[in-house]
Amino acid sequence: MGVFDGIAKDLLATLDSGLDAYDARLRSEQIGTVVRVGAAVADVEGFTELGADELIAFPGGLMGAALDIDEKRVGVILLDPAAALAVGSEARPTGRAIDVPVGQALLGRVVDGLGHPIDEAGPLRATECWPVDRPAPAILDRAPVEVPLQTGVKAVDAAIPIGRGQRELIIGDRQTGKTAIAVSAMLNHQAGRPGGQGPAAKPGLCVYCAVGQRASAVARVIDTLRRAGALERTVVVVAGSEDTPGLQFIAPYAATSIAEFFIARGEDVLVVYDDLTRHARAYRELSLLLRRPPGREAYPGDIFYIHSRLLERATHLRPERGGGSLTALPIVETQAQNIAAYIPTNLISITDGQIYLSPVLFEKGMLPAVDLGRSVSRVGAKAQLPAYRSVAGDLFLSFAQFEELEVFSRFGTRLDKATQLKLTRGRRVREALKQREQARPAPPEQIAVLLAATHGLMDALPLDRVADAERAISQAIRETEAPLCRRIENGEPFDDDARTALISTIRQALAPLTQEGGNGDA
């Protein structure tokens, strides 16, 4: 018995020392009660302390975020389906705002608005989380937009140039090619220019944020990125039409925080928001369910601020702040070409320009259907390659004059030779601006084709041979003018000697086609 008594004494002594060291303290915990459940919101009472946008945990792993905070009631937007949530359920604050995982582990992944993977590629191994709603960089932390972002679309790169760090709106009716423009920019941006020099040749990263889109449309974009080898340098954030309005509302902010992690490390990131029309509708739905007073078109009064605080985060940082850039391409959908509607005009005033896609041009087969007359870039011209400014500097004015002349000529009036020449040349320029969705010509090829069209080198060709002429020109300058191509891509001045050399190469490339062509307007 002596052995057992000794063991018992030692055990009791250990327990006594542990109890003496234990400091029993009361821990307060807030527990609220759900008093109302809506389609995508819930009202909770019983909280005494709560932060803005704080995450709220409900039974069964359901999460929400505090959007309306009153003295007695909290309006919570639900980030998961609310089928299992009932009146009387407990609600517990988490003490943290809405955040999202960030880091290299997200590249090549498809996640939802909270950063949860939805691509069946295993769990994320992110080591850091950032709040989805972060303040925009200060004015003194920003640098001028000086580096071009090439989209691979001739009409955009030549007439509506975009710079890295710019906010350029893509606007148009349904099914006019808005997403195609954005995807082309993503593919061109992440590829960079192998062998080129300077910041413009550096490949960048992309974040594609799909808000309220059909699953089939998102799957097509992901498949396009995967087949082009671009998915490994892209993060896809999806809040589809089947997701809750709360998740659709926070998805663009989450995508921007993911991008900001990379720009703080010197990367150039392109973010596509597809599209902010559905984002505004999701926020309108949440606001009406939370019984906020409606304004114009039933949108809440702060809808402008919702989008401005998102797009203000796009910038080019100074070198001491990392030197990265965040370029935003928000997409907005119009109805019946009404760009004066509430949300489109808001976004036009927030952004640095817009690319307008016309359904009329689309129906005529003018693809991409970019309407140069309604499109503008207020910042990117300063970052455009010098060769573009030299070759296509007056493209806006000359093309607008051609379109007016073409309308006038339909009345059957007799035209003088100068007017006929303008019409002939304008039709070649219009044909030269067309391109297939998969085609993304390099800047030297674009410049050579535009030089040929605007300077009358294609006037003798039939319209149906312009595409053949473009292929011949592109092949010729790649094979015979490689040094000149490098100078153009590196941003060197495009002087008279370079223009003469390029025109000579173009003439040689077009000679076989011109001999076969016959009458130019055939």
Side-chain angles (χ1 to χ4, degrees):
M1 293 294 292
V3 176
F4 291 106
D5 289 342
I7 295 175
K9 289 179 179 179
D10 293 339
L11 181 60
L12 290 173
T14 303
L15 290 173
D16 288 339
S17 62
L19 290 173
D20 292 339
Y22 179 71
D23 185 13
R25 294 183 180 179
L26 293 176
R27 181 173 60 90
S28 65
E29 183 180 7
Q30 295 189 79
I31 300 178
T33 304
V34 177
V35 296
R36 182 179 73 92
V37 179
V41 300
D43 286 347
V44 179
E45 293 183 352
F47 292 142
T48 57
E49 296 180 2
L50 200 66
D53 296 333
E54 184 171 340
L55 285 172
I56 309 296
F58 296 98
L62 178 66
M63 299 298 292
L67 197 63
D68 275 357
I69 301 178
D70 296 332
E71 291 183 2
K72 297 182 179 180
R73 181 193 66 88
V74 176
V76 179
I77 59 172
L78 302 178
L79 306 179
D80 297 299
L85 189 63
V87 173
S89 300
E90 291 185 351
R92 299 172 184 266
T94 62
R96 61 189 179 92
I98 311 172
D99 54 18
V100 64
V102 297
Q104 299 286 339
L106 275 83
L107 290 175
R109 300 301 301 270
V110 182
V111 299
D112 64 11
L114 292 173
H116 301 147
I118 56 177
D119 55 1
E120 300 180 353
L124 282 175
R125 287 177 171 80
T127 58
E128 199 173 348
C129 288
W130 283 16
V132 300
D133 192 7
R134 305 177 71 243
I139 296 296
L140 295 179
D141 293 338
R142 300 174 183 243
V145 175
E146 297 175 337
V147 180
L149 186 144
Q150 303 296 147
T151 65
V153 180
K154 287 175 287 189
V156 174
D157 292 340
I160 323 159
I162 302 173
R164 297 191 180 187
Q166 185 177 341
R167 302 159 298 177
E168 186 77 5
L169 181 66
I170 302 176
I171 181 171
D173 286 10
R174 287 187 71 247
Q175 302 295 326
T176 51
K178 300 184 297 295
T179 302
I181 295 280
V183 171
S184 177
M186 292 169 61
L187 295 176
N188 217 53
H189 179 65
Q190 66 85 31
R193 295 202 299 272
Q197 298 178 357
K202 175 185 174 184
L205 303 176
C206 300
V207 178
Y208 176 73
C209 179
V211 181
Q213 301 291 325
R214 300 187 308 274
S216 58
V218 178
R220 282 197 299 271
V221 173
I222 294 174
D223 183 61
T224 300
L225 295 173
R226 181 180 289 111
R227 285 189 284 106
L231 189 59
E232 60 187 18
R233 294 182 60 83
T234 304
V235 182
V236 180
V237 181
V238 179
S241 57
E242 69 280 359
D243 290 319
T244 63
L247 205 60
Q248 295 180 38
F249 169 62
I250 68 170
Y253 300 97
T256 308
S257 291
I258 292 172
E260 286 175 335
F261 172 86
F262 295 107
I263 73 169
R265 286 152 181 79
E267 296 286 353
D268 294 313
V269 186
L270 171 63
V271 184
V272 175
Y273 305 102
D274 191 9
D275 63 52
L276 292 188
T277 305
R278 289 173 173 82
H279 178 254
R281 291 171 184 166
Y283 185 62
R284 177 175 62 181
E285 181 178 350
L286 292 173
S287 298
L288 293 175
L289 289 170
L290 289 171
R291 300 174 182 176
R292 290 180 172 181
R296 177 180 169 185
E297 298 183 18
Y299 287 104
D302 61 344
I303 186 65
F304 183 93
Y305 171 68
I306 289 298
H307 286 152
S308 66
R309 80 181 191 197
L310 169 69
L311 296 173
E312 278 296 322
R313 295 162 71 178
T315 186
H316 177 208
L317 294 178
R318 290 186 174 277
E320 55 267 25
R321 294 296 181 182
S325 67
L326 193 159
T327 308
L329 291 183
I331 296 175
V332 64
E333 180 184 302
T334 57
Q335 295 180 345
Q337 306 180 56
N338 182 20
I339 62 175
Y342 189 31
I343 300 303
T345 51
N346 278 358
L347 290 167
I348 287 173
S349 61
I350 292 169
T351 52
D352 304 314
Q354 71 272 355
I355 300 170
Y356 178 72
L357 299 174
S358 168
V360 176
L361 295 178
F362 188 89
E363 292 167 0
K364 291 179 178 179
M366 177 65 189
L367 301 176
V370 178
D371 188 336
L372 297 183
R374 294 188 176 186
S375 303
V376 66
S377 178
R378 304 182 187 94
V379 177
K382 297 179 181 178
Q384 193 178 31
L385 294 175
Y388 278 112
R389 293 196 293 269
S390 176
V391 171
D394 61 345
L395 183 60
F396 257 121
L397 180 60
S398 60
F399 197 76
Q401 291 175 341
F402 154 70
E403 289 182 323
E404 290 185 3
L405 279 175
E406 189 177 40
V407 172
F408 181 73
S409 67
R410 291 172 185 163
F411 293 105
T413 56
R414 298 181 62 181
L415 305 174
D416 55 35
K417 291 185 178 180
T419 303
Q420 292 177 3
L421 180 61
K422 288 181 180 180
L423 290 172
T424 299
R425 190 160 300 173
R427 293 186 181 110
R428 270 84 192 148
V429 172
R430 184 168 57 193
E431 286 295 317
L433 289 175
K434 293 182 180 180
Q435 66 185 77
R436 295 177 295 108
E437 185 176 343
Q438 297 80 14
R440 285 176 294 279
E445 299 172 18
Q446 296 185 30
I447 289 165
V449 171
L450 291 173
L451 181 65
T454 57
H455 284 69
L457 302 181
M458 293 185 180
D459 288 356
L461 292 176
L463 290 177
D464 57 2
R465 300 302 304 273
V466 172
D468 297 333
E470 181 177 349
R471 286 190 290 269
I473 292 171
S474 299
Q475 181 179 355
I477 67 165
R478 281 197 305 264
E479 294 177 351
T480 63
E481 296 292 344
L484 178 57
C485 292
R486 285 194 294 270
R487 288 172 54 193
I488 292 174
E489 291 186 331
N490 293 339
E492 297 181 19
F494 191 73
D495 52 23
D496 292 339
D497 292 339
R499 181 190 296 269
T500 302
L502 197 56
I503 289 177
S504 175
T505 303
I506 293 171
R507 291 188 188 277
Q508 295 176 12
L510 294 181
L513 296 174
T514 306
Q515 294 172 1
E516 301 171 5
N519 188 1
D521 270 329

